[in-house]
Amino acid sequence: MSVINDAKAFQFELADELASIEFAGQLAEACEQGEAFADGLVVYLYGDLGAGKSFFSRAFIQHFMPGQKVKSPTYTLIESYNFSTNSIHHLDLYRLCDPEELEYLAVRDLFSENFIALVEWPQKGEPLLPAADLAIELIHQDQGRKVKMLAQSPKAEVLLESIKARLA
Ligand SMILES: Nc1ncnc2c1ncn2[C@@H]1O[C@H](COP(=O)(O)OP(=O)(O)O)[C@@H](O)[C@H]1O
Ligand SMILES: [Mg+2]
């Protein structure tokens, strides 16, 4: 079942893996230009198992760190990547048993400066997980994927407008 309301979402197709890598690169560029790191940005990644959340995250991280090995945080729950003064925190909360465990991951300290957080299975972290600026949902469609995006803060609105302009 879809999480993001169709009526409010910006939607488009990602026909294949390459399209997903390009989309991740476009969002990464928009983040760079919009100084998303300086303000901090929380991105929730919704979608079933195999929808492509980790695949998208890997491409996003590798935009900033070409060739960087990006392993799924399935068991560690969080993997952080640091470059210059910025950090990308990649979380997969599928195995989180209780949102209280987020305290041990020190999520509030990590989500404090010069960061972008990509969170798979954010539903598992509610209500202790910091709120999303941007929600992205990936949905199987034919051989590819459909993506839905929803801006939930003013800085995410700016990013979304930038993505729309890039795709136009
Ligand atoms: N746009 C796409 N079209 C087709 N296959 C895709 C697309 N994006 C990702 N995939 C494939 O989906 C597979 C599963 O993705 P993964 O990121 O592990 O899923 P999740 O983290 O959502 O469980 C990847 O191995 C990749 O090959
Ligand atoms: Mg995953």
Side-chain angles (χ1 to χ4, degrees):
M1 212 196 75
S2 172
V3 175
I4 298 180
N5 185 319
D6 273 327
K8 295 181 185 165
F10 175 59
Q11 309 191 29
F12 52 97
E13 282 176 38
L14 299 169
D16 52 23
E17 292 179 347
L18 188 59
S20 284
I21 292 170
E22 279 172 6
F23 167 52
Q26 297 282 2
L27 183 63
E29 268 179 29
C31 285
E32 254 174 331
Q33 285 170 9
E35 309 212 354
F37 284 103
D39 296 336
L41 187 79
V42 178
V43 181
Y44 283 8
L45 293 173
Y46 293 105
D48 294 338
L49 278 175
K53 303 178 296 297
S54 295
F55 187 87
F56 167 85
S57 300
R58 183 174 300 115
F60 184 89
I61 293 161
Q62 288 176 343
H63 173 87
F64 297 99
M65 308 173 84
Q68 172 67 44
K69 189 167 185 293
V70 177
K71 49 178 187 164
S72 177
T74 309
Y75 294 99
T76 53
L77 302 183
I78 181 164
E79 295 286 342
S80 294
Y81 303 87
N82 303 307
F83 56 98
S84 63
T85 57
N86 299 327
S87 301
I88 298 176
H89 305 296
H90 180 200
L91 290 80
D92 180 348
L93 303 182
Y94 190 70
R95 287 173 190 276
L96 197 71
C97 297
D98 185 323
E100 300 276 343
E101 288 175 42
L102 289 172
E103 298 297 329
Y104 299 104
L105 298 176
V107 157
R108 282 194 189 277
D109 296 336
L110 289 173
F111 289 16
S112 61
E113 46 183 34
N114 295 333
F115 79 96
I116 293 178
L118 304 174
V119 188
E120 299 183 40
W121 296 102
Q123 303 94 315
K124 300 267 186 170
E126 281 167 356
L128 296 182
L129 189 67
D133 294 294
L134 183 64
I136 297 176
E137 182 169 9
L138 297 167
I139 300 162
H140 281 88
Q141 180 171 271
D142 304 322
Q143 304 304 311
R145 305 290 186 267
K146 178 167 79 175
V147 56
K148 293 192 197 178
M149 299 178 77
L150 184 64
Q152 297 185 300
S153 72
K155 59 192 170 190
E157 301 273 5
V158 174
L159 278 179
L160 190 52
E161 288 310 312
S162 166
I163 288 291
K164 286 180 187 172
R166 285 158 190 274
L167 296 174

